[in-house]
Amino acid sequence: MQYKSLLTEVSAIADNASEKAHEIYITDFQIDFKADESPITAADLASHKIIVDALRELTPDIPVLSEEDADIPWEQRKQWRRFWLIDPIDGTKDFTQRTGEFTVNIALIEDGQPVLGVVTAPALNEAYWGAIGAGAFKRDSDGEIHRISVTEPKDTVLVVASKNHLNDDTKAFINKLGSHELVQAGSSLKFCRIAEGQAHIYPRLGPTCEWDTGAAHAVLAAAGGKVETLDGTPLKYGKEDVLNPFFVASGSWYRQDSQK
């Protein structure tokens, strides 16, 4: 599969979904709640429809799993060697609180790993994309496109973390890193900050789902980074349970055994 040409088409799909999401973002939108009490807005549903419809037209032979349509039986999903993994709006709380740090996420998963990803931040007017063999890129708020890559810490480790998820285990992990500074970022932008060299590591010792991480994981991997579980194995996708184990996203400089 030619990832480079596919990236162009998928980026256009993400931009279309982002434009619609932003149209809703600047209105007095209604907030509803799912059965698990997580928030949902018209932007989640509109973005989902735009992306899913476009991907099914672009690649009718590749199945799609979206957060907003996740009730696909495991008996069906376990047959998928390749599938699209979508989070129409990651950071719905950021959306509803109008922080601007919500994202639209599209990933292509092959054999348990994200091989292509697009992440857009509609309110920030930024976008990131990357794929195996194609590198990773950022389109900034001025529309300029830059190739991006991870960096290694010098004296201070820049740790990206969320104030909402800074639990005791995460604090203990961060303290073991030595001299560090916290870098705030919402939603999947945490991975992107590492991919563009603005942060070095993101420990997530709390619950996430596969669609929360897939697209940004692909961008980070294309930028030279990695996402590993706490035992040092690559974070995998296409599991029966869509919940991710705890993980650490970083540049290639980080080694899990340094925490022991």
Side-chain angles (χ1 to χ4, degrees):
M1 181 170 286
Q2 296 296 316
Y3 299 126
K4 191 171 183 180
S5 59
L6 193 58
L7 260 178
T8 301
E9 296 181 90
V10 176
S11 294
I13 293 170
D15 283 342
N16 289 339
S18 296
E19 183 177 353
K20 184 61 178 179
H22 192 257
E23 286 177 6
I24 296 169
Y25 180 70
I26 61 177
T27 67
D28 186 18
F29 56 83
Q30 179 177 332
I31 304 170
D32 296 313
F33 293 89
K34 304 179 190 178
D36 64 0
E37 298 187 358
S38 61
I40 186 170
T41 71
D44 296 84
L45 301 176
S47 177
H48 163 83
K49 179 169 174 50
I50 289 169
I51 294 169
V52 171
D53 287 353
L55 289 177
R56 286 177 174 161
E57 181 175 349
L58 177 65
T59 55
D61 58 326
I62 302 179
V64 180
L65 179 67
S66 169
E67 179 183 10
E68 305 310 333
D69 185 20
D71 295 331
I72 300 173
W74 172 240
E75 287 301 312
Q76 182 178 343
R77 290 194 294 113
K78 72 179 181 181
Q79 309 297 326
W80 297 353
R81 175 183 168 266
R82 177 188 292 128
F83 66 97
W84 292 108
L85 180 62
I86 313 303
D87 193 345
I89 298 288
D90 184 40
T92 299
K93 288 182 180 178
D94 288 291
F95 187 98
T96 59
Q97 294 169 8
R98 301 186 188 273
T99 70
E101 295 203 325
F102 63 93
T103 56
V104 173
N105 301 263
I106 306 175
L108 180 63
I109 308 298
E110 290 187 358
D111 297 322
Q113 287 299 303
V115 296
L116 176 153
V118 178
V119 177
T120 65
L124 303 180
N125 197 26
E126 296 177 348
Y128 299 82
W129 60 86
I132 289 177
F137 299 85
K138 176 183 180 179
R139 185 181 67 225
D140 66 25
S141 58
D142 294 322
E144 297 292 326
I145 296 174
H146 315 270
R147 186 157 188 154
I148 58 175
S149 60
V150 298
T151 58
E152 293 191 9
K154 294 180 180 178
D155 299 322
T156 302
V157 180
L158 301 179
V159 185
V160 65
S162 168
K163 291 177 181 177
N164 296 330
H165 303 104
L166 206 57
N167 57 30
D168 289 341
D169 288 342
T170 305
K171 291 176 183 176
F173 180 101
I174 292 171
N175 287 334
K176 289 182 182 179
L177 294 171
S179 178
H180 63 271
E181 292 180 11
L182 292 183
V183 177
Q184 291 298 319
S187 63
S188 58
L189 288 171
K190 299 180 185 69
F191 295 82
C192 297
R193 297 294 179 242
I194 301 171
E196 65 180 324
Q198 299 301 309
H200 299 126
I201 192 167
Y202 165 37
R204 182 56 187 253
L205 309 185
T208 57
C209 290
E210 291 187 1
W211 44 73
D212 296 317
T213 59
H217 182 167
V219 173
L220 178 55
K226 60 184 180 179
V227 185
E228 296 178 336
T229 64
L230 298 187
D231 63 4
T233 59
L235 185 65
K236 293 199 70 174
Y237 295 81
K239 309 182 302 297
E240 180 175 6
D241 185 351
V242 295
L243 284 173
N244 289 325
F246 295 169
F247 63 80
V248 179
S250 69
S252 58
W253 61 273
Y254 178 73
R255 296 288 181 271
Q256 294 283 3
D257 55 13
S258 66
Q259 286 285 303
K260 297 178 181 178

